[in-house]
Amino acid sequence: MAVRAQERQHRILALARHQGQVEVTAMATDLEVAPETIRRDLGVLERRGLVRRTYGGAYPVEGAGFETDLAQRVTRHVADKRRIAAEAATLLGEAETVFVDEGYTPQILAALLPGDRPLTVVTASLSTAAAVADSPNTTVLLLGGRVRARTLATVGSWACEMLSGFVIDLAFLGSNGISRELGLTTPDPVVADVKAKALQVSRRRVFLGHHSKFGASSFCRFAEVADFEAIVTDTGLSSAEAHRYALLGPRVIRV
């Protein structure tokens, strides 16, 4: 029976990672077990830090051995991500140079940046560069390096060397996980290097991310919560938990 449970949990996790989420009723039908059995399996996977439960299902947590690709990110929590990006864009202030991180939420933000004034956007993301390149008042600097097929973003020593020569007014950064104890983390060391360098050369830093990132941790730490002036997320993060993050320094904005 234990072997069957392990095999079932493996299939559930594999499907969650392939589809971006799983539903209890559908998995129960596919695996010919009771919904309560699937719920118990999801409980096991959640305790192991592999999935995060939702009403009626679960979605995978990104860790050292797993990372969602851009195609999955553009279909999950889209309404939340649009609100987060719109709110983060209001924090631009008088910044003339901005770093925009890889990822779908930063990509949405980049398209919302004002086009009626001169602005320089530095990014490692091919998708983000394409989203803002046609603005006549925006100068886009795309970091060089190896392009990761999973995220269409550049990484490596060339990207970090380019960043080291800049002084950037404001960095908009994301992560695969953020926790009060472990800070901001991502699965891949080369991605962490680029994020850490962007953080280092920027005067102001804003984190933007869906509430599902909170409490999660991955392999490579690149920042502490206290490094940021603001955190922008959705109301899925409780007000009590937002207050705990705010005690570490940043203003926490829930939209």
Side-chain angles (χ1 to χ4, degrees):
M1 187 68 178
V3 174
R4 288 188 58 198
Q6 290 176 1
E7 292 174 352
R8 194 172 57 243
Q9 290 157 16
H10 177 77
R11 290 180 61 181
I12 292 170
L13 180 60
L15 188 63
R17 288 176 168 177
H18 177 69
Q19 297 183 164
Q21 61 183 9
V22 289
E23 295 181 357
V24 170
T25 53
M27 289 303 306
T29 301
D30 291 345
L31 297 176
E32 300 180 341
V33 295
E36 185 56 37
T37 300
I38 300 298
R39 293 189 186 96
R40 284 197 299 270
D41 289 336
L42 291 176
V44 171
L45 293 171
E46 185 173 46
R47 287 192 293 275
R48 291 170 58 194
L50 298 172
V51 303
R52 188 70 61 85
R53 301 283 294 277
T54 63
Y55 181 77
Y59 56 86
V61 172
E62 298 182 353
F66 166 72
E67 181 183 17
T68 54
D69 58 29
L70 193 57
Q72 291 179 340
R73 296 179 189 183
V74 301
T75 61
R76 294 170 55 191
H77 315 302
V78 174
D80 291 339
K81 291 176 180 179
R82 290 190 183 280
R83 290 197 312 276
I84 292 166
E87 182 64 27
T90 68
L91 303 178
L92 180 65
E94 300 302 314
E96 297 179 351
T97 56
V98 298
F99 174 83
V100 180
D101 206 354
E102 64 172 64
Y104 185 53
T105 308
Q107 181 182 325
I108 298 172
L109 175 143
L112 297 173
L113 293 174
D116 59 353
R117 71 184 224 204
L119 190 67
T120 297
V121 174
V122 181
T123 186
S125 166
L126 276 66
S127 302
T128 294
V132 296
D134 61 348
S135 176
N137 289 317
T138 302
T139 300
V140 181
L141 297 180
L142 180 63
L143 301 178
R146 175 175 62 86
V147 177
R148 297 179 76 231
R150 184 173 292 277
T151 60
L152 295 181
T154 57
V155 293
S157 59
W158 288 347
C160 291
E161 286 171 13
M162 283 187 69
L163 278 170
S164 67
F166 299 147
V167 177
I168 296 173
D169 293 329
L170 173 60
F172 291 106
L173 288 158
S175 71
N176 299 77
I178 175 173
S179 78
R180 289 179 283 114
E181 298 81 8
L182 300 175
L184 283 72
T185 53
T186 192
D188 195 322
V190 292
V191 175
D193 287 344
V194 174
K195 291 175 182 287
K197 181 58 70 172
L199 185 98
Q200 179 184 338
V201 302
S202 298
R203 294 187 175 101
R204 299 170 53 211
R205 300 87 169 242
V206 171
F207 171 80
L208 60 161
H210 189 258
H211 78 270
S212 59
K213 307 287 188 182
F214 288 76
S217 61
S218 191
F219 180 51
C220 302
R221 177 164 48 194
F222 64 89
E224 302 294 340
V225 173
D227 292 329
F228 293 83
E229 72 170 47
I231 289 173
V232 186
T233 187
D234 59 279
T235 53
L237 184 72
S238 70
S239 57
E241 189 66 6
H243 177 67
R244 296 184 187 102
Y245 278 87
L247 290 175
L248 297 176
R251 179 161 62 109
V252 180
I253 305 168
R254 299 159 62 242
V255 294

